[in-house]
Amino acid sequence: MSLYEHVYLARQDASAQQVEELTAHLKSVVEGLGGSIAKTEYWGVKSLSYRLRKNRKAHFTLMNINAPAAAINEIERLERLNEDVLRYLTIRVEELEEGPSAMMRRAERDRDRDERRGDRFDRGDRGDRFGDRGDRGDRGDRGDRGDRGDRPRDRDRRPREGSEETEAATEE
């Protein structure tokens, strides 16, 4: 039997419970064909780089599989038929990764960083998160700014070729 890492993306409209049920169904198929699932990881709903079948986000799930090729062919066939599965990828590996995957380690690292930093937007002197800047105060009505006069950049500017100003200058 060979070792595989299998990742599939499910539609964002599917609930986490539906994704878990799909994972359990795929696991039972692999076990029914003589294989085993070493590890499954649900990575959560993540943004996609580009739209897939009108979806901007998807549920990501990883499965480490020890199974014959026939089992992999069968779960890929089932995923092609399932309308909730947007994409899947199976890679044959020399050995399965022990412990959490890189995606799970990243999530833990981000969570630890957020705990150390605290809630950035909880400070009273910074205003709220959505643009109300408390440090700027009320800027009030600025009224009419009046005529700015002839600014240097307008006086020193040469007219563009093909403009009315250029044509008028060449006719004179």
Side-chain angles (χ1 to χ4, degrees):
M1 287 195 281
S2 301
L3 304 174
Y4 301 94
E5 287 185 359
H6 179 80
V7 177
Y8 72 90
L9 282 61
R11 288 183 318 120
Q12 67 187 14
D13 298 342
S15 68
Q17 181 181 2
Q18 288 174 311
V19 175
E20 288 175 17
E21 290 172 2
L22 177 59
T23 303
H25 177 66
L26 296 175
K27 183 176 181 178
S28 66
V29 168
V30 169
E31 290 171 350
L33 293 171
S36 64
I37 304 286
K39 171 177 70 171
T40 61
E41 288 182 356
Y42 174 68
W43 292 344
V45 177
K46 300 197 172 296
S47 295
L48 300 172
S49 297
Y50 53 90
R51 288 176 52 174
L52 291 175
R53 296 189 209 158
K54 300 182 182 179
N55 290 282
R56 294 190 181 276
K57 294 184 177 189
H59 294 271
F60 285 65
T61 304
L62 165 77
M63 297 189 298
N64 285 347
I65 303 172
N66 182 5
I72 299 302
N73 290 337
E74 180 62 17
I75 64 170
E76 287 182 350
R77 184 186 72 80
L78 292 172
E79 287 174 336
R80 277 194 301 274
L81 295 173
N82 190 330
E83 63 186 31
D84 287 339
V85 177
L86 299 173
R87 289 277 198 277
Y88 59 87
L89 177 67
T90 306
I91 300 174
R92 186 168 181 227
V93 294
E94 294 296 320
E95 62 183 73
L96 295 174
E97 186 175 324
E98 295 294 323
S101 66
M103 291 295 284
M104 295 304 282
R105 288 192 304 262
R106 179 177 159 212
E108 290 173 10
R109 184 185 68 225
D110 291 347
R111 195 172 24 254
D112 292 343
R113 184 188 66 222
D114 290 344
E115 288 174 3
R116 282 193 312 269
R117 188 181 331 168
D119 188 10
R120 292 175 56 181
F121 303 108
D122 194 24
R123 302 178 190 161
D125 61 331
R126 297 274 179 125
D128 83 355
R129 178 179 185 167
F130 300 105
D132 178 26
R133 307 249 187 250
D135 58 340
R136 294 180 78 177
D138 182 22
R139 298 177 76 180
D141 181 26
R142 295 185 184 179
D144 184 21
R145 295 176 73 175
D147 184 25
R148 294 187 183 172
D150 198 16
R151 289 180 274 166
R153 69 172 187 229
D154 289 340
R155 277 182 289 166
D156 300 336
R157 184 177 65 108
R158 288 187 297 163
R160 293 183 186 168
E161 272 188 51
S163 70
E164 294 175 11
E165 297 170 10
T166 308
E167 293 172 6
T170 55
E171 290 176 5
E172 292 177 1

